[in-house]
Amino acid sequence: MSGGRPPFIGVGFQKCGSTSLFALAVAGTGIGWPKKPLHGGKELHGVPGYTRPKAAHRRRYLRQLGAGNRAEFTPNYAYKPSNLFSLDSWFPNVKFLLVVRNPIDRFFSALDHGKGDSVVEPGTSDAQAFEASYSGSSNNSWV
């Protein structure tokens, strides 16, 4: 990493395989995972909003990324394109990796994820979980 610039920044959507893609991208390349990621993984959420000056955001991002040849992959950047413009202005010509997935596959992956995290009660059918997530009777905003 020259001058505190990540070799790439991953972008995508939840449940699209970003963790697997990131692991493949860094395997055997000498690129490391972030030093201080959020949620204990690959994500920095480096541009949460401009409550601080832009220079302060960039310094915080670089501290979280860490020294050396490190990259990060935050799927939520795709939901707010202004984040990508900020990252591009901080690191001109940085490579962005975009991962997408069939929306129906994402939906069922999210249901399975919710069942594993006890967001959806075990034994709940996919149809019942879908109905609950859109009926207002549940906090399943992840679906």
Side-chain angles (χ1 to χ4, degrees), residues 2 7 21-23 28 39 48 51 53 61 80 106 124-125:
S2 92
L21 179 63
F22 186 78
H39 316 300
T51 55
Y61 179 88
K80 192 171 181 188
R106 281 184 61 223
T124 303
S125 72

Side-chain angles (χ1 to χ4, degrees), residues 11-43:
V11 180
F13 299 91
Q14 294 172 325
K15 311 312 301 167
C16 284
S18 59
T19 301
S20 297
L21 179 63
F22 186 78
L24 287 170
V26 301
T29 63
I31 298 171
W33 292 64
K35 179 181 176 185
K36 296 180 182 178
L38 297 178
H39 316 300
K42 66 196 181 310
E43 303 175 18

